Amino acid sequence: MDKVELLGRRRFVEGLALTTGLAALGASRTRAAAPLAMLRGDRIDLAIGPTPVDFTGRARIATAVNGLVPGPILRLREGDTVTLNVTNRLDEPTSIHWHGILLPNPMDGVPGLTFRGIMPGETFTYRFPVRQAGTYWYHSHSGMQEQTGLYGPLILEPRGREPYSYQRDHVVMLSDWTDEDPMTVLSNLKQQSDYYNYNQRTLGTFAKDARRDGLGATIDDRLMWGKMRMSPTDLMDVSGATYTFLMNGQPPARNWTGLFTPGEKVRLRFINGASMTTFDVRIPGLTMTVVQADGSDVEPVEIEEFRIGVAETYDVIVTPRQDACTIFAQAQDRSGYARGTLAVREGLAAPIPPMDPRPLRTMADMGMNHDMKSTPAVDKGGMDMGGMDMSKMTPEEHKHHMTMMAPPSHDAMSHGAKPGDNIPTSNADGIDPGTLAGQAGVDNVAMQTRDRLGEAGIGLDGNGRRNLTYRDLEARRPHRRSLPPTRALEFHLTGNMERFLWGFDGKKFSQAGPIRVALGERIRFVLINDTMMEHPIHLHGYLFEIENGRGDRLPLKHTVNVKPAERMSFVFTADVPGHWAFHCHLLYHMEAGMFRTVLVA
C-alpha cells in the first residue's frame, strides 16, 4: 500500500536573487526549504503532469511527478516485487526509466526500444523484482522531459544488515534548471556550440598569459587552439549562463537543510540528476567517507572532495562537528553552484566558500603532447613529431596532420591484443579507427590516450584537497562470477564541437546499427575518448565492473565519467536478453547522437 510520508513541499519555489552575495554570509539564519516527499511500499501510483514552478523569479511550467520537482523519493525493499503505476497527464508521450536497476528489459522504460512509451491519458504498470539495494534514481527517457523536471530519487532498502552504521539519512539530489525551452538550448548549441561559454579568453587574458609565458609561446598557443577551432575554456556545453543549480529542488539562496543531532553519523546519498552539469562536491571542514558508488558498497574511502558526473551516485558518511556545515557543489566550469546545509536546527547557515579558479583544458586533454614545438620526438608508429609546429599549419594542413597521426586500427597495431590479455578485440561499429580523422562528426582523434582512472579530473588534481578517483574504488566483497571476458569491443567517443555533433566511432545513433552481444557472454567494453569533453557513459540494465586493478573486487557501476584522451574499460556478463540503451548521459549529447542499442540475444 502506498504511504505518503511527507507531502506539502511547495509547488511554487520562490525565486530568489543572485547567489553571489551569499558568499559573504557567515553563520546566520535563513528560511529553510521543506524536505523531500517520500513514498514507500510495494505498490506505488505516480502521475506525470505539468506543474508551475519558479526557481529564478520567473514563472515556468515544469514536468513533475505527483506535482513535485524533483519527484518524490521512492523507497522500495530488496526482495519485493514492486508495482509502479505511472499515469500520463501530459499532452505528449512520456516514460520513466529506472536508472541502474537490474530488471527485465520491457520494464526499462525507453520508448522505441523497450516499450512504446506512455501515451497521454494512459497508465503503464511497471512490475519487477527488486534484486539489489542502494541509492539510485529515476527519470524520463522521453525528449527533454528530464531537463524540465522529470526525475527523482530511488532508494532500495537492503534485506540484510549494511556493513556501516549511521543514525541519519538524507538524499542530496543535484540538478540544473533553465528557464529556456530545452529545444531552444539545443538549437543555440547547434548554431554556436560555445553559446553558453561566457568565459572565453580575451585580450586581457592574452596579455596576462604573455607576461607569464612569453609573447611567442602565447601566440603559438592561441594559434594552435584556433587552428583546431576549439578553446581551452570548453568545459561544459551548458553553463550557469542559463542554468540555476539546484539541491533537492532548491536554488542556493533557498538553502536546502538536512537536520542532524550533534554526535550523529549522517549518511548523505548524493545523486547527480542534472542534464548537463558535472559537480565537484565538498563540505568544508568535514571528511567524507565514501561507502557506496552507484548503489554498490565499496571499501570505505576518506576524502575531502569528489567529482560526480551526470547520473552517478555516491553515498558518504559524515560526522558534523559544528551546528551548521555547508554542502557545496560547484559546477565543473565554476559558472555557479548548488548549496545546502547540514544543521542542528532549521534556519541555520554556514559560510559559503568561494568557487575555485576556473580550470583550462590543455593539449594533453586533446590527446596530444602539451608542447609539440619544444618537446622531444614522440614515438607514434615511427613518426617523428619532434620540432613540428602545428600553430603554423593551415586548417587543411591540420586536418591532414590529424589524419596522418590518427592511431592505426587496433588489429594493425596489436592484432586485437590488450596488454596482458589475448582476447579478440574489434571496433564496436566495425570501422577502422584510423579512418576517423577528418570525418564530418570527428574534429579530433586523441593521439595519446592514457589510463586516467587515478586522476580526479581537471580542476581537482593538485588542488590541495584529497579527491576521490576511480582507482580508489574497491568492491566490498569479491565477485562470484569474476571470470575473464572472452571478447572486447572498442568504442571511440567522438564529436564535432563546432557543429555540435556527438556519437560513437564517428556515427550518430541514426547512422549505426545495434551492438550485438550473445546472451550469457562475458564481454569487455573499451572506451576511448577522442573529444575534449567528459562523457558520463551509461549502460542500461547492467552493473559493470570497472577494470581499475582491484582484482576480484572491481567496483560495480552503471555510469562512468570518461575523461578526455582517456582509454578505460569495463566488463559485464550479458545475462539478460533485450535491447538495452548505451549512451552518454549528457542529455544534449544523447539527443545529438551519442547513443547505441546493445542487443543481447
Side-chain angles (χ1 to χ4, degrees):
M1 177 180 294
D2 297 359
K3 180 181 179 183
V4 180
E5 290 199 335
L6 182 59
L7 291 173
R9 182 156 53 90
R10 295 161 62 108
R11 292 184 179 182
F12 278 91
V13 182
E14 183 178 338
L16 293 163
L18 294 174
T19 59
T20 49
L22 290 172
L25 282 176
S28 60
R29 289 182 176 278
T30 63
R31 187 172 53 174
L36 293 175
M38 184 186 304
L39 299 171
R40 69 166 74 232
D42 59 9
R43 178 185 171 87
I44 291 175
D45 296 328
L46 301 172
I48 297 172
T51 294
V53 296
D54 185 346
F55 295 110
T56 63
R58 289 181 289 182
R60 290 291 184 272
I61 299 297
T63 309
V65 181
N66 290 7
L68 301 168
V69 177
I73 301 171
L74 305 184
R75 293 195 80 109
L76 312 179
R77 193 175 185 201
E78 182 183 17
D80 287 351
T81 294
V82 297
T83 300
L84 301 155
N85 300 309
V86 180
T87 299
N88 182 3
R89 293 177 181 162
L90 301 170
D91 58 5
E92 62 182 19
T94 189
S95 60
I96 288 184
H97 163 60
W98 314 100
H99 189 105
I101 305 305
L102 307 173
L103 39 58
N105 188 251
M107 298 291 104
D108 195 45
V110 181
L113 205 60
T114 66
F115 76 147
R116 71 182 191 119
I118 309 172
M119 298 298 115
E122 289 185 353
T123 296
F124 183 83
T125 298
Y126 296 86
R127 184 177 294 111
F128 54 87
V130 179
R131 300 168 48 197
Q132 62 208 102
T135 300
Y136 301 89
W137 65 300
Y138 60 91
H139 60 84
S140 172
H141 231 290
S142 298
M144 296 300 194
Q145 292 171 3
E146 183 183 338
Q147 176 72 90
T148 58
L150 207 170
Y151 53 84
L154 176 60
I155 309 302
L156 305 183
E157 298 174 345
R159 282 283 180 179
R161 185 174 181 178
E162 293 179 303
Y164 34 81
S165 63
Y166 52 91
Q167 291 77 48
R168 188 81 65 160
D169 184 344
H170 290 298
V171 167
V172 182
M173 188 157 209
L174 305 170
S175 60
D176 45 29
W177 171 267
T178 173
D179 280 343
E180 294 184 278
D181 184 323
M183 293 310 294
T184 299
V185 174
L186 181 60
S187 176
N188 291 338
L189 292 170
K190 282 283 189 183
Q191 294 179 50
Q192 184 182 337
S193 63
D194 59 355
Y195 186 89
Y196 295 103
N197 182 354
Y198 285 17
N199 292 302
Q200 300 280 10
R201 294 195 293 186
T202 63
L203 183 60
T205 59
F206 177 85
K208 182 180 177 181
D209 292 349
R211 286 193 297 272
R212 184 189 62 207
D213 303 328
L215 181 61
T218 302
I219 291 174
D220 285 350
D221 175 76
R222 296 302 196 270
L223 287 173
M224 185 173 291
W225 284 103
K227 289 292 189 297
M228 293 187 294
R229 298 188 178 94
M230 297 179 185
S231 168
T233 65
D234 285 333
L235 298 169
M236 290 171 30
D237 295 309
V238 190
S239 71
T242 188
Y243 275 152
T244 297
F245 301 110
L246 307 178
M247 183 174 293
N248 288 338
Q250 307 295 339
R254 284 286 296 164
N255 188 27
W256 172 83
T257 299
L259 298 179
F260 69 94
T261 298
E264 284 184 333
K265 290 183 178 179
V266 182
R267 179 179 187 169
L268 300 174
R269 301 175 183 265
F270 285 94
I271 303 169
N272 188 347
S275 291
M276 291 293 284
T277 305
T278 298
F279 291 99
D280 295 333
V281 180
R282 58 192 163 104
I283 305 176
L286 280 187
T287 295
M288 297 180 282
T289 302
V290 179
V291 296
Q292 271 193 2
D294 285 5
S296 296
D297 290 336
V298 295
E299 290 291 340
V301 184
E302 291 193 350
I303 56 162
E304 297 171 283
E305 187 171 26
F306 64 91
R307 173 160 291 172
I308 183 167
V310 171
E312 290 186 304
T313 74
Y314 285 106
D315 286 36
V316 307
I317 294 177
V318 299
T319 305
R321 305 295 183 191
Q322 301 174 327
D323 286 353
C325 306
T326 294
I327 304 173
F328 187 66
Q330 58 184 334
Q332 181 186 357
D333 68 346
R334 313 304 186 231
S335 62
Y337 59 84
R339 161 258 189 170
T341 301
L342 288 176
V344 296
R345 60 182 180 277
E346 298 280 3
L348 292 183
I352 302 173
M355 286 192 289
D356 290 336
R358 179 168 46 83
L360 293 175
R361 301 285 188 199
T362 67
M363 286 299 152
D365 292 316
M366 301 298 296
M368 300 177 187
N369 192 295
H370 181 67
D371 186 354
M372 291 183 177
K373 184 177 181 180
S374 59
T375 51
V378 175
D379 184 8
K380 282 295 295 181
M383 291 185 180
D384 185 355
M385 296 169 59
M388 187 175 293
D389 186 356
M390 293 179 65
S391 66
K392 293 182 172 58
M393 294 179 181
T394 65
E396 290 71 24
E397 289 170 336
H398 177 266
K399 182 176 179 178
H400 177 68
H401 167 79
M402 297 296 291
T403 301
M404 295 298 293
M405 296 307 299
S409 68
H410 199 95
D411 286 344
M413 184 169 59
S414 58
H415 304 287
K418 184 174 181 288
D421 201 339
N422 293 316
I423 63 173
T425 300
S426 59
N427 179 270
D429 286 292
I431 60 105
D432 178 352
T435 66
L436 281 175
Q439 293 188 19
V442 182
D443 61 10
N444 182 64
V445 176
M447 290 182 285
Q448 292 179 315
T449 58
R450 64 187 192 276
D451 178 350
R452 303 190 70 177
L453 295 177
E455 300 176 32
I458 186 172
L460 296 183
D461 294 300
N463 70 0
R465 296 186 284 269
R466 182 171 183 206
N467 283 280
L468 181 72
T469 72
Y470 285 148
R471 186 83 70 208
D472 294 325
L473 300 177
E474 182 178 29
R476 193 83 180 202
R477 292 178 292 276
H479 301 301
R480 286 179 295 179
R481 293 194 298 175
S482 187
L483 300 173
T486 57
R487 183 168 68 107
L489 291 176
E490 284 187 353
F491 297 81
H492 281 256
L493 283 53
T494 53
N496 184 317
M497 297 279 290
E498 194 171 55
R499 300 174 63 183
F500 204 73
L501 296 175
W502 300 98
F504 292 104
D505 301 316
K507 297 180 179 179
K508 298 187 296 183
F509 174 62
S510 59
Q511 299 169 323
I515 308 300
R516 298 180 182 278
V517 177
L519 181 62
E521 184 176 9
R522 181 77 168 165
I523 192 165
R524 169 185 289 132
F525 278 11
V526 180
L527 305 178
I528 302 163
N529 189 353
D530 286 326
T531 79
M532 63 186 299
M533 311 292 286
E534 284 82 1
H535 297 282
I537 302 298
H538 172 46
L539 174 63
H540 286 221
Y542 292 95
L543 297 176
F544 50 74
E545 302 161 33
I546 294 183
E547 295 189 295
N548 68 346
R550 293 289 182 172
D552 62 355
R553 296 192 180 199
L554 301 179
L556 292 173
K557 296 270 290 173
H558 49 62
T559 307
V560 60
N561 201 29
V562 187
K563 303 176 187 68
E566 179 171 23
R567 180 190 181 96
M568 60 82 61
S569 61
F570 62 78
V571 295
F572 68 102
T573 302
D575 54 2
V576 182
H579 292 76
W580 299 103
F582 179 62
H583 61 91
C584 176
H585 220 284
L586 298 178
L587 181 62
Y588 298 88
H589 286 191
M590 182 178 71
E591 187 70 18
M594 194 174 269
F595 187 106
R596 284 290 185 278
T597 299
V598 175
L599 173 56
V600 177

